[in-house]
């Protein structure tokens, strides 16, 4: 699938499908008027018939009339004109693409998607998301990406930027959708090595031996139950002079979370291939920033393990020593993500970052609190927290703050060790998990994003297939580009 800017007379030159976005004030849109004129009033009759909805993400596939040299005219609604945003166009483009992706097509031409460069990039990203499904292993595919997409109303540079961001979101989705028998620490590291080479950033891979030398006792404990050995990856991208301190991105990469001896029931375990979505996000954001050539120094750290049971797996009551030197008492082997991140955060600190942002499918409690469309946002720094909340909202990927008062931290005091890996009981579980992470950032400005809800969808949305979503990749690519 390739994107090109449409320089032709978009209503007169042939294509397979002409895709047009219309809001509730459609009669005033130039796109409507041009198609109406070309079709000698046919389009106005269709729109006035009330058969074509302009409600958000409603797609009407019409046989194109005489005068419009396409076989199909697809109309997608964007709802109320006064409330259009990045998300409006991301979703509308995704919904249109998903509706049209049911069969192989050659040239699609999109017109009317976005009123600003940010909205246009969101729409291009949406179209790419709509063209990729989770049908990875079906012998008969159900999603077909078109060969070419012609985009009306954006120049080559804007299109290229949107395409890079869309490719990155789809990379995160694809990796999350890979089944856990194929996606494990080593294969994740292999893929990351390819991505780094292609995009142009450096990667360092720590294997089990190196992790032992580095005394990553917390991460290694989680990994011990699996025959698949753990990895820790460090990404480095340099977009400004070497002496300017970097931003650090950290990701949870549990390629499968069985819960360990605190075993999950079948229903809860079924989708736990998604537990590496945080790590996939970090890799995908690196792909974007390196290809977009953002002017910042950024480092990434992801910890990759499989949380399984075996005769050698870590147990309840075990005491671990994290890389920072803190000792941790294990009260629940299913609270493993924070153990992996504890060592990753410590490795990140070594690079002297000005800010740290971590992405993790960390707690079911966060999903209970905020549902599946909003990520939990926890921080030790109100300024950074506010920045993250506002730009993710602007991009249409919602994050919402949870309180971080010190008394939550009292719940993780250890009995025989410094801290324990869960709070007292289940209440406030997203926050006690964040308090645990805070123990490992040494007061550096830090934001924790709990993406357990939005990183993976059990059922499809009109604009996106079920499975991995790449949630927040788009916002962070845009934030770092700005
Ligand atoms: N990976 C899970 C969290 C999760 C739940 C992600 C649902 C995606 C969807 C995490 O490792 C976990 O098991 N957390 C426990 C923590 C508890 C034992 C303190 C949880 O949320 O139950
Ligand atoms: Mn777990
Ligand atoms: Zn987990």
């Amino acid at each position: 699938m390739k994107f090109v800017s449409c320089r032709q007379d978009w209503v007169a030159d042939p294509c397979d499908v002409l895709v047009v976005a219309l809001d509730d004030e459609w009669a005033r849109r130039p796109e409507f008027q041009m198609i109406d004129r070309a079709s000698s009033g046919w389009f106005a009759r269709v729109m006035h018939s009330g058969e074509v909805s302009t409600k958000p993400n409603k797609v009407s596939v019409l046989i194109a009339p005489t005068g419009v040299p396409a076989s199909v005219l697809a109309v997608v609604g964007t709802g109320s004109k006064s409330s259009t945003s990045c998300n409006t166009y991301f979703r509308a483009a995704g919904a249109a693409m998903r509706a049209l992706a049911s069969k192989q097509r050659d040239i699609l031409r999109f017109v009317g998607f976005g009123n600003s460069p940010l909205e246009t990039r969101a729409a291009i990203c949406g179209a790419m998301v709509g063209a990729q499904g989770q049908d990875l292993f079906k012998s008969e595919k159900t999603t077909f990406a078109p060969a070419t997409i012609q985009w009306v109303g954006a120049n080559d540079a804007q299109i290229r930027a949107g395409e890079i961001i869309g490719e990155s979101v789809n990379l995160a989705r694809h990796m999350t959708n890979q089944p856990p028998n194929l996606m494990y620490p080593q294969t994740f590291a292999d893929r990351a090595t390819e991505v780094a080479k292609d995009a142009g950033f450096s990667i360092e891979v720590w294997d089990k031996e190196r992790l032992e030398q580095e005394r990553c006792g917390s991460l290694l404990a989680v990994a011990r139950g699996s025959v698949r050995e753990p990895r820790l990856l460090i990404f480095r991208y340099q977009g400004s002079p070497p002496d300017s301190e970097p931003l650090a991105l950290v990701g949870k990469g549990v390629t499968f979370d069985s819960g360990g001896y605190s075993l999950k029931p079948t229903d809860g375990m079924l989708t736990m291939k998604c537990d590496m979505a945080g790590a996939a996000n970090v890799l995908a954001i690196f792909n974007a920033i390196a290809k977009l050539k953002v002017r910042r120094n950024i480092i990434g750290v992801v910890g990759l393990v499989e949380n399984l049971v075996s005769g050698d797996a870590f147990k309840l009551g075990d005491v671990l020593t994290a890389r920072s030197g803190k000792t941790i008492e294990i009260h629940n082997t299913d609270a493993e993500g924070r153990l992996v991140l504890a060592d990753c955060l410590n490795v990140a600190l070594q690079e002297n970052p000005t800010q740290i942002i971590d992405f993790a499918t960390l707690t079911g409690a966060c999903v209970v609190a905020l549902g599946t469309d909003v990520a939990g946002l926890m921080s030790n720094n109100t300024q950074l927290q506010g920045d993250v909340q506002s730009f993710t909202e602007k991009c249409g990927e919602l994050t919402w703050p949870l309180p971080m008062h010190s008394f939550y931290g009292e719940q993780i005091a250890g009995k025989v060790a410094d801290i324990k890996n869960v709070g007292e009981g289940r209440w406030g579980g997203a926050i006690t998990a964040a308090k645990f992470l805070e123990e490992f950032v040494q007061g550096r400005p830090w934001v924790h994003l709990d993406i357990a809800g939005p990183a993976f969808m059990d059922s499809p949305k009109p604009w996106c297939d079920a499975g991995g979503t790449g949630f927040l990749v788009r916002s962070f690519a845009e934030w770092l580009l700005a």
Side-chain angles (χ1 to χ4, degrees):
M1 182 167 61
K2 71 170 190 294
F3 280 78
V4 294
S5 83
C6 184
R7 291 203 183 75
Q8 304 113 304
D9 178 357
W10 63 262
V11 80
D13 282 338
C15 64
D16 296 302
V17 187
L18 183 59
V19 188
V20 58
L22 291 178
D23 55 46
D24 60 352
E25 294 179 35
W26 50 267
R28 278 192 244 154
R29 298 291 304 190
E31 294 83 9
F32 163 76
Q33 290 164 1
M34 284 177 75
I35 296 171
D36 191 47
R37 220 171 298 132
S39 66
S40 317
W42 169 89
F43 202 25
R45 286 200 304 282
V46 168
M47 293 304 293
H48 282 296
S49 75
E51 298 294 334
V52 170
S53 172
T54 55
K55 291 218 173 84
N57 314 317
K58 290 282 178 241
V59 183
S60 306
V61 177
L62 312 167
I63 302 303
T66 317
V68 176
S71 18
V72 170
L73 173 66
V75 180
V76 57
T78 55
S80 151
K81 181 174 189 291
S82 57
S83 65
T84 52
S85 66
C86 269
N87 223 15
T88 307
Y89 292 106
F90 173 82
R91 291 181 176 187
M97 182 60 92
R98 231 167 90 70
L100 295 167
S102 55
K103 66 179 226 188
Q104 189 63 60
R105 299 175 196 270
D106 195 15
I107 302 174
L108 265 53
R109 184 177 299 157
F110 278 65
V111 55
F113 290 81
N115 306 306
S116 68
L118 189 68
E119 288 179 358
T120 300
R121 288 194 295 271
I124 292 170
C125 183
M128 292 182 74
V129 165
Q132 180 178 295
Q134 62 165 353
D135 55 344
L136 306 180
F137 301 90
K138 282 189 189 287
S139 18
E140 280 181 37
K141 295 272 172 257
T142 52
T143 317
F144 301 89
T148 303
I149 295 174
Q150 299 178 342
W151 203 270
V152 180
N155 63 31
D156 290 338
Q158 288 163 357
I159 289 174
R160 181 69 191 130
E163 203 178 357
I164 289 168
I165 297 171
E167 168 194 286
S168 305
V169 174
N170 278 347
L171 170 66
R173 293 177 62 220
H174 179 78
M175 290 186 76
T176 306
N177 286 339
Q178 289 283 325
N181 57 324
L182 300 179
M183 182 54 61
Y184 47 89
Q186 188 187 333
T187 53
F188 188 112
D190 291 345
R191 189 69 228 276
T193 305
E194 286 169 15
V195 170
K197 194 167 168 224
D198 172 54
F201 59 88
S202 80
I203 178 171
E204 193 176 317
V205 182
W206 289 7
D207 61 8
K208 185 170 169 231
E209 204 175 30
R210 178 73 191 267
L211 285 159
E212 281 162 356
Q213 284 166 9
E214 297 280 347
R215 302 177 328 281
C216 291
S218 185
L219 183 152
L220 282 164
V222 180
R224 236 170 49 212
S226 172
V227 294
R228 307 279 197 200
E229 292 190 349
R231 296 286 186 273
L232 182 145
L233 312 181
I234 305 175
F235 308 140
R236 290 186 182 86
Y237 170 76
Q238 200 188 305
S240 64
D243 55 341
S244 73
E245 285 162 353
L247 164 75
L249 304 177
V250 173
K252 168 178 174 182
V254 176
T255 58
F256 184 72
D257 181 13
S258 74
Y261 276 102
S262 309
L263 198 66
K264 287 182 185 295
T266 300
D267 284 353
M269 202 190 296
L270 179 62
T271 57
M272 278 303 132
K273 67 176 182 182
C274 81
D275 217 14
M276 38 56 77
N281 272 8
V282 174
L283 177 64
I285 294 167
F286 264 78
N287 181 67
I289 60 175
K291 289 190 171 177
L292 293 167
K293 300 196 170 16
V294 310
R295 295 157 69 85
R296 291 188 70 154
N297 293 343
I298 307 177
I299 67 139
V301 179
V302 307
L304 301 163
V305 302
E306 221 176 26
N307 186 21
L308 299 184
V309 274
S310 84
D312 193 36
F314 76 136
K315 302 170 289 292
L316 289 82
D318 278 0
V319 172
L320 323 174
T321 305
R323 189 171 188 266
S324 73
K326 278 209 169 97
T327 54
I328 308 166
E329 193 173 310
I330 300 304
H331 284 229
N332 191 318
T333 60
D334 199 12
E336 85 298 339
R338 63 199 77 182
L339 300 171
V340 174
L341 289 172
D343 285 341
C344 292
L345 290 167
N346 186 261
V347 172
L349 279 177
Q350 197 173 277
E351 311 277 328
N352 207 20
T354 50
Q355 298 161 328
I356 306 174
I357 295 170
D358 80 69
F359 301 87
T361 47
L362 204 63
T363 66
C366 196
V367 194
V368 173
L370 299 173
T372 56
D373 294 312
V374 181
L377 169 61
M378 285 147 272
S379 179
N380 59 359
N381 184 295
T382 40
Q383 163 90 49
L384 183 60
Q385 172 175 303
D387 288 351
V388 170
Q389 190 181 2
S390 57
F391 77 77
T392 54
E393 171 152 7
K394 189 172 170 196
C395 293
E397 295 181 305
L398 299 179
T399 62
W400 203 260
L402 296 174
M404 286 284 278
H405 300 100
S406 56
F407 61 82
Y408 288 105
E410 290 160 17
Q411 290 193 33
I412 57 167
K415 290 193 176 68
V416 299
D418 296 331
I419 50 176
K420 60 185 168 76
N421 77 330
V422 292
E424 300 289 333
R426 307 157 38 217
W427 311 127
I431 301 167
T432 48
K435 280 291 175 188
F436 182 96
L437 299 181
E438 193 180 13
E439 294 284 325
F440 297 90
V441 298
Q442 288 173 13
R444 247 349 119 88
W446 153 80
V447 157
H448 160 57
L449 289 155
D450 192 332
I451 54 171
F456 192 89
M457 291 294 150
D458 288 328
S459 40
K461 308 256 196 199
W463 58 89
C464 183
D465 199 359
T469 60
F471 188 79
L472 292 179
V473 171
R474 178 163 58 91
S475 295
F476 275 81
E478 288 287 1
W479 187 46
L480 296 169
L481 183 62

